[in-house]
Amino acid sequence: MTAKAALTDDKSLSILSTTDIAGIDITLTDVVDVVEQAYRTLADGQSDNPRKLTVKPADGHSVSYAMLGRDGVRNVVAIKTSYKHGLHEDRDKQHYYTALTIYDDVTGLPVAMMDCGRIGSLRTPAVSALLARELAAPGSRNALVIGTGTQGRLALPFLLTTLPGLERLMVFGTHPDGIRAVREQLHAYFPEREVEVVEDLREAAAAADVVVATAGPITPAAVESDWLKPAALSILVGHGIAPSTLHRADRVIATSAAQMKVTGTDMADGNGELPDVDAEFPEVLVDRAAGRTDDGQRIFAYNSGLVVTDIALGHRFAQLALAQGLGTRVPLWQ
C-alpha cells in the first residue's frame, strides 16, 4: 500500500494497529516540535478544540471520553475516543482502549484509523516537558516524577529533551515493573543518565524544582504544597499531588481552563471549588499571556491534553506509516 493509494481510494479506510504504530521511529525532539506546533496553531485561531465529552458511572469503575478537533495547518479533522475500565483495580487488571480517526479536510477523504495508545504515551509527556521548559524557575536542576505507568516512563527523557540542564532525576513509584521500565526508557534515550528511586516522598519533593505527577488514582502519593520549594513547578497529569499544590500556588496555568473544570474535580477544595486559571498554555507559548512572572513563584500547571495535539501527532504517524506501506485497508463504506 502506498501513500498515493491511501489518498485516492475514497471507499476504504487504512487501519493502523498497535504493532504498526510501534514500528515507526520518531525522535523525542520531533514529537515535542509537532506538539508545540499544534498548540501554536490553536493559539493563532487556525484550529478547533471543543470541550471533551465525558461519561463516568456513579461508582467510578470506568471513564470514557470523546474528543473532536481540527488542525488548521495540517488541514485534517479527527475524532478520538478513550475508554478505561477498572479504575479501582491494580494496573494489570485495568482495560484501556483509545482510537483516533483522521480525515483529510482538503480532499474530504479518510486518512486512517489508528490505535492511539503510543500517540498518547508520547504526547502527554511532551506537553509536560513543554510546560517545564516555559514555566520552570531559571536554573532548575532537580526533577521528581511521581508514578511509573505509561505517562511516568517517558517523563524524564522528555524533560531532559527540553531541560538538558537537569542534574538530579528522581522517581517515586510502588510497582517494581514500572520502576524497571522507567530505568529502561531513560537508558534508551540517555544511556549516560541514571534515575534515583526515592522512598521518602516529602524529602524528594523538597529538593525538586520540577514535580510531574503521573500516578494512577490509587497511588499513596499526595505531595502537599508546604513540602515544595518556594519556586517549584508542579505539573499534574494524573495523581500524586494534593489539592493544596493548586490552591496555594502563586500562579495556575492550564492547557485548557475548560477541561480542567471537567477533569480536575478531584483537586477541588472543601466547597467543591477550583481556583481560577491565570493563563492557558497555548497563549503562553505565543507570548500572549504570561507564564512565570517572577522567579520565586510557586506554579501549578494542569496538563489535561488537548485533542489537537493528538491529531497533529497522529497525523504525523499516519504519514510515516502510509509512506512505509503499513496498515490494513478496510472497505468500511462499501
Side-chain angles (χ1 to χ4, degrees), residues 2 17-18 41 52 64 81 97 151 165 231 275 277 282 303 306 313 334:
T2 65
S17 68
T18 303
T41 303
K52 68 171 66 174
S64 306
T81 59
Y97 309 99
Q151 301 305 330
V277 170
N303 177 1
L306 301 185
L313 192 56
Q334 285 183 250

Side-chain angles (χ1 to χ4, degrees), residues 11 28 59 74 79 123 138 173 196 215 232 248 267 304 328:
K11 293 185 178 180
L28 300 187
D59 65 1
R74 293 177 175 270
I79 299 170
R123 176 265 289 161
E196 176 186 347
R248 296 178 59 188
M267 296 294 283
S304 60
T328 303

Side-chain angles (χ1 to χ4, degrees), residues 29-334:
T29 299
D30 288 343
V31 173
V32 170
D33 289 345
V34 169
V35 171
E36 181 172 3
Q37 182 190 50
Y39 274 130
R40 291 181 178 276
T41 303
L42 179 64
D44 289 339
Q46 299 181 63
S47 295
D48 296 299
N49 193 102
R51 183 181 301 186
K52 68 171 66 174
L53 299 176
T54 307
V55 174
K56 191 172 185 178
D59 65 1
H61 75 268
S62 71
V63 64
S64 306
Y65 301 108
M67 293 151 276
L68 169 69
R70 183 181 186 278
D71 187 307
V73 167
R74 293 177 175 270
N75 287 312
V76 295
V77 173
I79 299 170
K80 179 183 177 182
T81 59
S82 177
Y83 170 66
K84 194 167 189 177
H85 182 276
L87 297 182
H88 301 314
E89 303 285 348
D90 291 337
R91 188 180 297 122
D92 59 353
K93 295 181 180 179
Q94 294 179 358
H95 298 277
Y96 180 55
Y97 309 99
T98 180
L100 183 72
T101 306
I102 305 174
Y103 302 90
D104 189 314
D105 202 30
V106 175
T107 66
L109 302 177
V111 176
M113 179 179 183
M114 66 189 70
D115 167 46
C116 204
R118 188 183 178 202
I119 293 163
S121 71
L122 292 170
R123 176 265 289 161
T124 303
V127 173
S128 293
L130 284 168
L131 287 164
R133 187 191 73 188
E134 298 297 318
L135 302 175
S140 293
R141 291 291 180 266
N142 304 326
L144 168 65
V145 173
I146 301 170
T148 60
T150 301
Q151 301 305 330
R153 295 174 187 184
L154 278 172
L156 289 173
F158 271 106
L159 284 175
L160 285 171
T161 300
T162 60
L163 292 177
L166 290 174
E167 296 172 355
R168 187 181 180 189
L169 308 176
M170 298 174 282
V171 65
F172 175 87
T174 59
H175 296 274
D177 289 344
I179 292 171
R180 188 179 307 110
V182 168
R183 285 198 172 103
E184 290 173 353
Q185 290 284 7
L186 180 61
H187 289 161
Y189 292 99
F190 295 92
E192 75 285 0
R193 301 302 302 268
E194 295 294 335
V195 61
E196 176 186 347
V197 179
V198 299
E199 295 183 0
D200 189 327
L201 186 58
R202 181 165 189 162
E203 181 179 299
D209 300 296
V210 178
V211 178
V212 183
T214 74
I218 61 173
T219 180
V223 170
E224 297 286 352
S225 177
D226 60 5
W227 297 8
L228 298 170
K229 285 184 174 182
L233 166 66
S234 300
I235 302 172
L236 182 60
V237 178
H239 301 267
I241 55 179
S244 62
T245 60
L246 166 61
H247 293 275
R248 296 178 59 188
D250 297 310
R251 196 159 175 80
V252 177
I253 311 296
T255 48
S256 166
Q259 285 195 10
M260 180 172 160
K261 289 181 180 179
V262 173
T263 61
T265 54
D266 58 319
M267 296 294 283
D269 63 15
N271 297 317
E273 300 292 333
L274 292 171
D276 291 336
V277 170
D278 294 297
E280 292 190 313
F281 189 56
E283 299 295 308
V284 173
L285 270 178
V286 297
D287 296 324
R288 281 204 293 269
R292 178 178 290 274
T293 59
D294 184 273
D295 290 353
Q297 287 176 325
R298 185 176 287 162
I299 295 182
F300 175 93
Y302 190 77
N303 177 1
S304 60
L306 301 185
V307 74
V308 289
T309 58
D310 295 284
I311 292 172
L313 192 56
H315 186 246
R316 176 62 178 150
F317 269 96
Q319 290 175 318
L320 294 170
L322 297 178
Q324 295 174 37
L326 299 174
T328 303
R329 301 295 291 177
V330 176
L332 183 62
W333 294 290
Q334 285 183 250

